[in-house]
Amino acid sequence: MPFCSDFNTLPDKQALVAHFKGAKISELPTPNFVVDRKIFRRNCESMLENARKLNAAFRAHVKTHKTVEGTELQLGSGKSTTDRVVVSTLREAWMVMPLVKAGKINDIHFSLPIYESTLDELVAVSTQVPHLRVMLDNPEQLDMLAAYNKGHTHAKKWSIYIKINMGTNRAGLINDTENLHKTIVKALSPEVKCAVEIYGFYCHAGHSYSSKTEDAAKDFLLQEITHAHKATKEALKIDPSLQLHMSVGATPTAHASECLSVEEMEQKLGEPLAAKLELHAGNYPFCDLQQVATNCVGYQDVSIKLYADVVSTYSGRGNKGPGEQLINAGAIALARETGPMPGHGRIVEPAGYENWIVGRLSQEHGILVAEEDKPTDFIPIGTRVGVVPQHSCITAAAHPWFYVVEGNEVVDVWVPWRGW
């Protein structure tokens, strides 16, 4: 049975590499998206080491870059590795299959709360990977899974994470509520248990992006662990024989895990962990302005830039600095994301123009404005500028391929997966 992915063709990587390998950044057409491979690899290795020191497994979210090459770097090498990934779309699940077949990925988690129209495709994915985990946050989803398996006797048992809402209010069940208790009880009932097994509980502190210090991000991480631990204990009260996992993380909290010890974690809980711990994160190989704003990373840890050309100048326009300037990167190249730091992106190259931010966007136009009212020189027309975007995930999704560089030279081209 064909799925949407079967009809979704990608640009020819080999042709792109043949054309662009060896080119300098200054020679590339703009707007473009550039990945510094050394920084990307370093970020991946650091995160795996964080998890290892915390005696936690690591599950790499691939949704930020959506590439085989980036995923392989996230899996690591040497003493710090993982064979677990998170996907946000089934397109991502299908496209990591070469790594599954190579034995590098053995466990895929589909992170959206499960819905009926995707069940056939999830079953197809489950036949290709040793372990598939799905997410749910509503007892009615259990009825759906049980009914599906009654009508499809070939389907495996569903391995589920129960999502806990710990304040982000995007998805999940809240601790100490009847809904969470009812969901756990139903999952363990005979009529559902034949189709479903609880793998564990999943917490994502998306609101940790508001952190301004590493200590604040660490506090959010401890909240994630506390919430997952509490839900785990609730399940163990009902069935003490369960072997559960607690998956916690967001990029700021995962960064902050480097300054958390097992002893401090258990002191906060007042007891040992009730289940095996897993750390997950996704934005960390790229990073962006939102991550810099948390002060868990610096600009030196951002592995990506959007490059654009300064195409015009408007002296005296606006209410700050010498006026405004125009770059050839608007909303469909950069995204309209905002964050704690002002603007949709910040100029970081060439040096000396860091007071310029992308203050406004239309479809193809980006308007540079001065961030602060202080002496600011215009960037000469024709200058190629490097911009760190607010949110690298959404900016990356705007580009059909990424130029991968070491130093100033293109060494590879990565083609991200599109669609669902």
Side-chain angles (χ1 to χ4, degrees):
M1 174 182 177
F3 299 106
C4 288
S5 293
D6 298 311
F7 304 104
N8 195 337
T9 57
L10 296 172
D12 186 333
K13 174 186 169 76
Q14 298 310 316
L16 288 165
V17 170
H19 186 71
F20 289 110
K21 189 172 183 179
K24 306 299 183 189
I25 292 173
S26 61
E27 298 168 340
L28 299 174
T30 60
N32 62 57
F33 191 87
V34 170
V35 180
D36 185 308
R37 190 164 63 185
K38 285 186 177 178
I39 299 175
F40 187 106
R41 179 184 285 111
R42 186 181 73 212
N43 291 346
C44 293
E45 290 172 351
S46 295
M47 193 60 76
L48 287 164
E49 186 63 12
N50 286 358
R52 189 185 71 81
K53 287 179 179 176
L54 202 57
N55 290 338
F58 185 72
R59 189 177 291 272
H61 209 318
V62 306
K63 69 166 185 170
T64 294
H65 55 85
K66 297 177 184 274
T67 65
V68 170
E69 299 90 343
T71 301
E72 193 159 15
L73 290 173
Q74 284 182 284
L75 299 178
S77 60
K79 66 180 180 180
S80 296
T81 61
T82 184
D83 62 359
R84 309 177 186 195
V85 298
V86 193
V87 300
S88 289
T89 67
L90 285 168
R91 173 71 160 160
E92 294 164 28
W94 288 120
M95 297 307 289
V96 298
M97 284 303 167
L99 297 174
V100 173
K101 289 175 182 174
K104 295 182 178 182
I105 293 174
N106 290 301
D107 189 316
I108 295 176
H109 170 46
F110 179 58
S111 66
L112 210 66
I114 196 163
Y115 50 100
E116 190 166 11
S117 65
T118 198
L119 297 185
D120 287 339
E121 191 166 1
L122 282 166
V123 168
V125 169
S126 75
T127 66
Q128 304 298 311
V129 63
H131 303 288
L132 176 70
R133 321 293 177 191
V134 298
M135 186 92 83
L136 60 80
D137 64 355
N138 191 297
E140 292 182 24
Q141 294 156 351
L142 289 165
D143 294 328
M144 177 185 68
L145 294 177
Y148 182 90
N149 277 27
K150 270 189 183 178
H152 301 78
T153 54
H154 65 284
K156 295 180 183 177
K157 225 179 195 188
W158 298 94
S159 178
I160 63 165
Y161 272 117
I162 297 175
K163 178 75 175 282
I164 302 300
N165 176 5
M166 45 163 299
T168 304
N169 289 336
R170 182 172 66 183
L173 293 157
I174 297 173
N175 267 315
D176 296 325
T177 60
E178 180 59 27
N179 258 351
L180 176 59
H181 179 77
K182 184 167 36 169
T183 300
I184 296 170
V185 168
K186 179 174 273 195
L188 296 174
S189 65
E191 63 271 20
V192 173
K193 200 173 179 180
C194 59
V196 170
E197 62 180 7
I198 302 175
Y199 184 70
F201 295 89
Y202 191 98
C203 290
H204 170 72
H207 51 314
S208 66
Y209 278 59
S210 65
S211 302
K212 296 292 189 292
T213 65
E214 191 170 52
D215 281 344
K218 185 172 83 168
D219 286 342
F220 278 113
L221 173 60
L222 286 167
Q223 290 175 40
E224 288 176 324
I225 294 168
T226 300
H227 275 267
H229 181 75
K230 191 170 193 177
T232 298
K233 289 187 70 179
E234 174 73 12
L236 290 172
K237 272 193 234 169
I238 300 166
D239 183 352
S241 70
L242 293 172
Q243 300 294 311
L244 299 174
H245 300 75
M246 305 187 311
S247 190
V248 302
T251 290
T253 63
H255 277 137
S257 67
E258 69 178 352
C259 58
L260 179 66
S261 67
V262 174
E263 293 74 23
E264 185 180 1
M265 178 174 57
E266 293 187 344
Q267 184 179 17
K268 172 72 175 176
L269 293 172
E271 60 184 333
L273 286 172
K276 294 178 181 177
L277 186 64
E278 175 184 272
L279 193 65
H280 61 255
N283 181 271
Y284 67 96
F286 277 176
C287 294
D288 47 32
L289 283 187
Q290 292 184 9
Q291 299 304 330
V292 172
T294 68
N295 286 301
C296 294
V297 300
Y299 284 105
Q300 73 276 7
D301 302 305
V302 180
S303 69
I304 55 93
K305 292 184 186 76
L306 177 132
Y307 283 91
D309 292 330
V310 177
V311 299
S312 197
T313 296
Y314 311 100
S315 183
R317 196 171 81 179
N319 56 12
K320 278 188 182 177
E324 298 180 341
Q325 297 197 270
L326 179 69
I327 59 172
N328 62 332
I332 60 173
L334 190 54
R336 289 191 183 275
E337 286 288 288
T338 57
M341 300 180 78
H344 304 285
R346 175 179 291 275
I347 304 299
V348 293
E349 291 181 22
Y353 297 108
E354 292 85 355
N355 195 41
W356 290 101
I357 60 173
V358 184
R360 300 195 308 280
L361 294 167
S362 54
Q363 188 163 314
E364 284 88 12
H365 302 71
I367 308 301
L368 301 185
V369 301
E371 180 193 356
E372 298 175 7
D373 194 5
K374 65 182 184 181
T376 301
D377 292 331
F378 277 124
I379 306 171
I381 289 177
T383 300
R384 181 149 301 185
V385 292
V387 180
V388 173
Q390 279 288 357
H391 191 172
S392 58
C393 306
I394 299 179
T395 302
H399 295 265
W401 57 80
F402 311 149
Y403 300 98
V404 180
V405 302
E406 292 197 1
N408 189 42
E409 184 175 308
V410 175
V411 294
D412 200 2
V413 179
W414 294 353
V415 178
W417 318 309
R418 300 310 182 89
W420 293 268

